[in-house]
Amino acid sequence: MGKFEFETTGEEVANAFESEIAGKTGSLPTSYALKAHGLGAEAARVIALHRPALIILAGRSLAKAKQTEHLLSEQSPGINTRVLSLDLGSLQSVKEAAAEVNSYSESIDVLINNAGVMAIPRLARTTDGFELQFGTNHLGHFLLTNLIMPKIIAAGPGARIINVSSNGYQYSSVNFEDPNYQSLAQKLGPLGILSYSLDPGEKMMPDQKFKTIGQGAATHIAAAFDPSIKSQSYLLLLAAICRIVAYQISDGNGVFLEHSTPSALAEQSTWLFDESGPQKLWDMSEKLVGQEFRY
């Protein structure tokens, strides 16, 4: 793995892992649409430079997703793309999108869950009545990921599930929080499926710098394609003295990334190390979406 820093761009990371990208099929669901200049679109753009077999662009607005598809085709003539209608705020829409993905002949090598609604100014709810942020960012992705799991498993050991998150986990506890999607890593690890979460590096505090879109997408690419993450993360977790988490993900599966590299969890965030939390969240999520998933 090359040395990646705050200023590292998605293109630089993609160049480093070109051989890992070539020939793979990736899906990039987003909460509302792949904005022409958003993180999801930028991740898709730099992946498209390196001959993937297929990029699936999923979004609530097909018009905007098709705009991104057009931009990719202009930049990378001959790129194979597919647009998928997906509203993560509607369980029915998620089920319909998953059914379409499951009808594809291709397996899914990399799934990047890129949704992002946050700081909702007032209480809002999804179509199904869930709080908008929880329903979109967690439940929508939880259901989609599990429904298309056969396609991910079919890709074989090394297939990856990437959840774009935030380092905001360290500022407050949330009931049954699963900060690193460790439940996925624990359940799917025996099948060789890797699950990582990441903070793209947006500005959080007044004394912090903004990242450009290109820099923000860099960690998407590293999480999706860096083959060295598994060997790197164990030492980082041990260095942070995260005993329980290190035990759970000692092979690197489930690690959290910042600035394109594995990151130690914040020691002071003691709520992260409740061993029962991930399973509680998994069970609660199954109950809310009305389906059970066993691996």
Side-chain angles (χ1 to χ4, degrees):
M1 179 180 69
K3 183 179 180 182
F4 301 132
E5 300 174 338
F6 183 95
E7 294 82 6
T8 300
T9 67
E11 284 196 16
E12 291 172 321
V13 178
N15 288 337
F17 304 123
E18 180 175 18
S19 63
E20 299 292 327
I21 298 173
K24 289 188 175 177
T25 296
S27 177
L28 289 92
T30 184
S31 57
Y32 280 62
L34 277 170
K35 298 177 183 177
H37 302 291
L39 290 174
E42 176 65 7
R45 186 188 72 79
V46 299
I47 290 171
L49 292 170
H50 299 285
R51 306 183 310 282
L54 171 66
I55 298 177
I56 302 168
L57 304 170
R60 181 179 179 180
S61 168
L62 281 179
K64 292 181 179 179
K66 287 180 179 178
Q67 180 184 4
T68 299
E69 182 180 45
H70 177 69
L71 292 173
L72 296 189
S73 65
E74 282 191 327
Q75 170 204 261
S76 304
I79 185 69
N80 188 15
T81 57
R82 200 168 293 158
V83 169
L84 177 69
S85 177
L86 171 65
D87 179 0
L88 288 165
S90 163
L91 297 184
Q92 182 59 38
S93 175
V94 172
K95 291 175 183 178
E96 291 172 359
E100 182 171 339
V101 171
N102 287 329
S103 73
Y104 297 163
S105 60
E106 301 89 353
S107 57
I108 303 295
D109 295 287
V110 178
L111 170 65
I112 302 179
N113 288 322
N114 186 62
V117 295
M118 65 171 292
I120 308 301
R122 59 184 61 87
L123 178 64
R125 299 192 181 278
T126 67
T127 301
D128 305 283
F130 304 120
E131 188 276 322
L132 183 62
Q133 191 162 289
F134 178 71
T136 301
N137 295 5
H138 173 66
L139 290 178
H141 281 146
F142 174 84
L143 182 60
L144 176 70
T145 301
N146 280 289
L147 289 178
I148 67 172
M149 193 62 69
K151 286 292 184 182
I152 299 170
I153 293 174
R160 298 192 183 194
I161 301 165
I162 310 303
N163 296 289
V164 180
S165 182
S166 165
N167 64 10
Y169 73 83
Q170 61 188 294
Y171 298 109
S172 176
S173 61
V174 177
N175 288 338
F176 308 130
E177 186 176 46
D178 184 14
N180 285 325
Y181 277 75
Q182 290 168 328
S183 50
L184 271 178
Q186 292 165 351
K187 293 175 184 295
L188 298 172
L191 298 177
I193 307 302
L194 306 176
S195 177
Y196 304 126
S197 59
L198 64 92
D199 172 26
E202 294 300 317
K203 183 178 180 180
M204 291 284 293
M205 303 296 287
D207 61 344
Q208 292 178 325
K209 296 188 297 183
F210 280 111
K211 281 194 171 188
T212 66
I213 291 296
Q215 291 167 348
T219 308
H220 291 54
I221 308 303
F225 300 107
D226 184 350
S228 73
I229 292 175
K230 291 181 66 175
S231 62
Q232 295 269 336
S233 57
Y234 183 54
L235 293 177
L236 284 166
L237 287 167
L238 287 181
I241 322 176
C242 299
R243 181 184 61 81
I244 294 174
V245 178
Y247 169 76
Q248 292 175 337
I249 58 175
S250 59
D251 63 351
N253 200 0
V255 77
F256 183 81
L257 289 88
E258 293 181 284
H259 310 319
S260 307
T261 58
S263 174
L265 298 177
E267 288 183 63
Q268 71 272 19
S269 305
T270 55
W271 54 84
L272 297 177
F273 309 124
D274 174 9
E275 286 186 289
S276 64
Q279 187 60 49
K280 286 180 181 178
L281 180 59
W282 185 279
D283 292 342
M284 181 180 70
S285 301
E286 286 185 326
K287 182 177 180 180
L288 291 174
V289 303
Q291 289 188 242
E292 293 186 354
F293 304 100
R294 297 292 180 263
Y295 303 106

